[in-house]
Amino acid sequence: MHPINSALVDNILFSWYIIFNYIYKIINIMSSFAILAPQDSVLSKYIRTINAIPILDKNTEQILAINWFEKKCIKSAHNLIKSHLKLVVKIARSFSFCGLPIMDLISEGNLGLMMAIKKFNPYKGFRLSTYAMWWIKASIYKYIIESWSLVKIGTTLTQKKLFYNLSKIKNKILDKPNNLNHGLNNDDVKIISKKIGASSLIDVKSTINRLANPDQSINIQINNDSGLEVADILHDTAKNQEELYIEEEEMIHKKKLLNQAILCLNAREKNILLSRHLASQPVTLSELAKKYSISCERVRQIESATIKKIKTMLQKSTNSLDIITN
């Protein structure tokens, strides 16, 4: 038997994913142009299509899975994918509380299904649906986290546990509505923290607040009468162009005065000042002492006297005493 090219298999599997998403996009475009009947939504059209696909019995599924596992039979993989599309829809619907488009969740679940079929070993003794459901959920979880907010969430283990299980905990343990926006008190937070094994209540509170307050556009209108948007009343803390221009002009003036003062120094004073204060890597007193054959204390004295001389010259040109900070 010829060795299987894994890259080729990946491309083939992904091509099936592209085909299913392409079909979904065609249906969506048709719906937008009213080619479909008004009551015929994209989701209902998709569900009717996959409901027409028969469910495989255990023996048929085993044969197809072995053909794919051993021979990489694309037709067998195709039949396995089609027969489990209803499973993806069922799982995707359980994530409807997240507020994301159901067809997007289904699309991501289909990708998880294909990854499951790629890695499924029919000789382990269990059905494909048992194995595939974990890949489908993982793919949908990943999509939800990436789509929930422009600000990245779910970066720590505690945050991921909370993101995945908050709705379930609130509904079953706390007996509260299955809604991320429902408020929680401190006792609720403690119960959730204990349930998911979180060590920090602050981390749990922070994640709950972020989940309960998703991103909102600053272009939302405050009310219909005024026509004002949130962006219209936001205060800009950045400096305006006038302030930036004044600061730039002041800095140019200070540099000019400093350069003029440095020109009045002799060669040794200038070198010590530049080496000690204006170099990217300041030179030590001992290195300068060795260079000029004098003591380190004498170098320090020259340095101090040079700085004093610079300040005196600057005072004659301006009343600004903060030109040199050191």
Side-chain angles (χ1 to χ4, degrees), residues 220-283:
I220 296 177
Q221 287 192 354
I222 300 174
N223 56 66
N224 295 330
D225 297 333
S226 64
L228 288 176
E229 297 179 351
V230 176
D232 297 328
I233 61 174
L234 291 178
H235 175 63
D236 187 4
T237 58
K239 295 178 180 178
N240 57 39
Q241 294 298 320
E242 290 79 6
E243 292 173 328
L244 293 173
Y245 178 77
I246 291 173
E247 288 184 358
E248 184 179 0
E249 287 295 310
E250 184 178 359
M251 182 58 65
I252 292 174
H253 181 63
K254 289 179 178 180
K255 288 181 179 180
K256 182 178 179 180
L257 293 177
L258 181 60
N259 289 331
Q260 290 176 350
I262 291 176
L263 291 176
C264 298
L265 302 176
N266 61 44
R268 187 169 67 174
E269 291 174 338
K270 184 187 299 183
N271 184 62
I272 291 176
L273 179 67
L274 296 178
S275 300
R276 293 283 294 160
H277 295 276
L278 300 178
S280 57
Q281 294 183 347
V283 181

Side-chain angles (χ1 to χ4, degrees), residues 95 98 100 105 108 137-165 207 210-211 215:
F95 292 90
C98 294
L100 295 173
L105 298 178
E108 292 298 323
K137 287 182 178 180
S139 183
I140 295 176
Y141 277 140
K142 182 175 181 295
Y143 171 72
I144 292 173
I145 285 184
E146 292 176 348
S147 304
W148 184 263
S149 172
L150 293 175
V151 180
K152 190 174 183 180
I153 63 175
T155 56
T156 67
L157 181 59
T158 297
Q159 291 173 347
K160 289 180 179 179
K161 285 182 179 179
L162 190 57
F163 188 91
Y164 296 154
N165 299 299
T207 305
R210 293 174 67 183
L211 291 175
D215 298 334

Side-chain angles (χ1 to χ4, degrees), residues 64-77:
L64 293 174
I66 291 175
N67 284 339
W68 165 247
F69 185 75
E70 293 185 350
K71 304 176 183 178
K72 298 305 175 188
C73 175
I74 301 302
K75 185 177 181 180
S76 296

Side-chain angles (χ1 to χ4, degrees), residues 194-206:
K194 184 177 180 180
K195 180 65 179 178
I196 66 174
S199 58
S200 172
L201 288 178
I202 297 177
D203 197 14
V204 173
K205 287 181 179 180
S206 175

Side-chain angles (χ1 to χ4, degrees), residues 44-96:
S44 61
K45 177 71 174 181
Y46 180 79
I47 291 176
R48 282 203 309 273
T49 302
I50 63 175
N51 280 340
I53 302 173
I55 298 176
L56 300 176
D57 59 69
K58 185 176 181 180
N59 291 334
T60 304
E61 179 186 299
Q62 182 77 358
I63 293 172
L64 293 174
I66 291 175
N67 284 339
W68 165 247
F69 185 75
E70 293 185 350
K71 304 176 183 178
K72 298 305 175 188
C73 175
I74 301 302
K75 185 177 181 180
S76 296
H78 184 200
N79 290 330
L80 289 172
I81 292 172
K82 290 195 302 179
S83 64
H84 287 80
L85 291 177
K86 287 190 284 291
L87 174 65
V88 175
V89 173
K90 179 180 178 182
I91 295 174
R93 278 178 162 171
S94 66
F95 292 90
S96 59

Side-chain angles (χ1 to χ4, degrees), residues 126-142:
F126 47 83
R127 298 293 297 269
L128 174 60
S129 57
T130 304
Y131 178 75
M133 64 180 293
W134 299 105
W135 278 98
I136 295 168
K137 287 182 178 180
S139 183
I140 295 176
Y141 277 140
K142 182 175 181 295

Side-chain angles (χ1 to χ4, degrees), residues 161-193:
K161 285 182 179 179
L162 190 57
F163 188 91
Y164 296 154
N165 299 299
L166 179 58
S167 181
K168 185 188 302 180
I169 292 172
K170 290 171 70 175
N171 189 34
K172 294 184 178 180
I173 300 175
L174 302 178
D175 193 25
K176 295 200 172 185
N178 190 16
N179 186 346
L180 292 177
N181 292 319
H182 192 282
L184 297 174
N185 55 41
N186 289 332
D187 292 335
D188 294 334
V189 174
K190 290 179 182 179
I191 294 174
I192 292 174
S193 301

